[in-house]
Amino acid sequence: MFEHLSPQPEDKIMALMKMYREDTRENTIDLGVGVYKTAAGVTPVMDAIKTAEKMLWEVETTKVYTGIAGDPGFGRALSGLVLGDAVAGERLSFTAQPGGTGAIHQAIELIKMATPDATIWISNPTWPNHPSIIKHLGMKMAEYRYFDDDSRGVDFDGLMADLAKVKRGDAVLLHGCCHNPTGANLTLPEWREVVALLEKTGATPLVDIAYQGFGDGLEEDAAATRLIASSLPETLIAASCSKNFGIYRERTGLLMTVSDGAKASDITQQNLTHLNRQNFSFPPDHGARLVTMILEDEGLRADWMNELEEVRKGMLSLREGLAAELRRATGSDRFGFIADHRGMFSRLGAAPEKVEKLRVEHGIYMVGDSRMNIAGLNTETIPLLADAIAEVGI
Ligand code: LMR
């Protein structure tokens, strides 16, 4: 049987992680996988998570199954964080998922169950696992323009021109904030234009929100998702707690749908629950429980928000530091966009050969499309990166 299997293409980000681990040189710089790191290069467990884990250990008396859809308290707490009061509860359905990836996967399965002929539109570029999952599930896919190679900002005219071609029944995958891999984001007025266009075309948005709190703040980063969900009849939202709660390996995410009324929401909920049962039955609960405890306890929530804000501000100052060092190293302002980008990533806009040179000659690892994880830097490595970028001639 297994002789019929063929080798699978390696995921770019996973391949880079492996190469970095195998590099024995000293002073290598890892700007690859999207994991937050302190200046000392560690990915800490957040204080509020530690406290919640301790409390949970004390009070948890059973590990018996939760519901197939996960703990409804988690769904309420996380949908509250993402959506605020943007949509009426009766329109909302949700299932707990193993991470943001699980939520994306099942969102696409739900689209497939509803409209198997739908085309799913993804930004060019996007997180490489988006097209990979869509292909795996046998759905049609198309790209809309997103990144302007000259300004390193959003190609908004290209995006609007491409999204005008989307058909009723198609789905459009949008990054709610902190676009991965570019770091370039739409302004709120631009989001309003996108929403109006989606309304006109009758397409359904699928919002991937994996970095809430890493861009401009928890509320600000949720503004586009709230605008979309409150303006259109139907929306799918895949939320991840990996980054903003720092619980990567706990696999904690939520798939939410906003339906056109309470009756439609009931049926959507049944389908979402059915998908959980088919795929894994009961979703993981540990991370979800910690997140619920934090969001529902005033003190823990404040503690978590403070730590998240420190992380966000730290990344912003790394961005500003790198933009300034690049000004020094290259004698030009052409890297000013790094300070304007938001979230964990920035796309440098360098050719793959230059990215390769950075790795081979300077031990600097970034994804081949020149995406760098800003959180992989610190005040010591910023000048090294700036000098290396100048030297390889980016
Ligand atoms: C990333 O983009 O690096 C992260 O979302 C981690 C991953 O799973 O790819």
Side-chain angles (χ1 to χ4, degrees), residues 87-93 259-266:
V87 295
E90 59 169 27
R91 294 182 59 205
L92 198 59
S93 310
S259 302
D260 199 6
K263 197 160 159 246
S265 178
D266 262 4

Side-chain angles (χ1 to χ4, degrees), residues 298-334:
E298 213 181 303
L300 280 180
R301 188 180 176 117
D303 184 15
W304 167 71
M305 282 171 67
N306 284 340
E307 192 169 347
L308 180 61
E309 194 57 6
E310 264 172 43
V311 164
R312 185 181 79 79
K313 287 193 175 139
M315 283 190 292
L316 273 184
S317 91
L318 290 171
R319 286 188 175 283
E320 277 152 21
L322 180 58
E325 275 298 312
L326 279 164
R327 204 172 301 125
R328 170 197 62 77
T330 64
S332 96
D333 273 336
R334 68 179 188 279

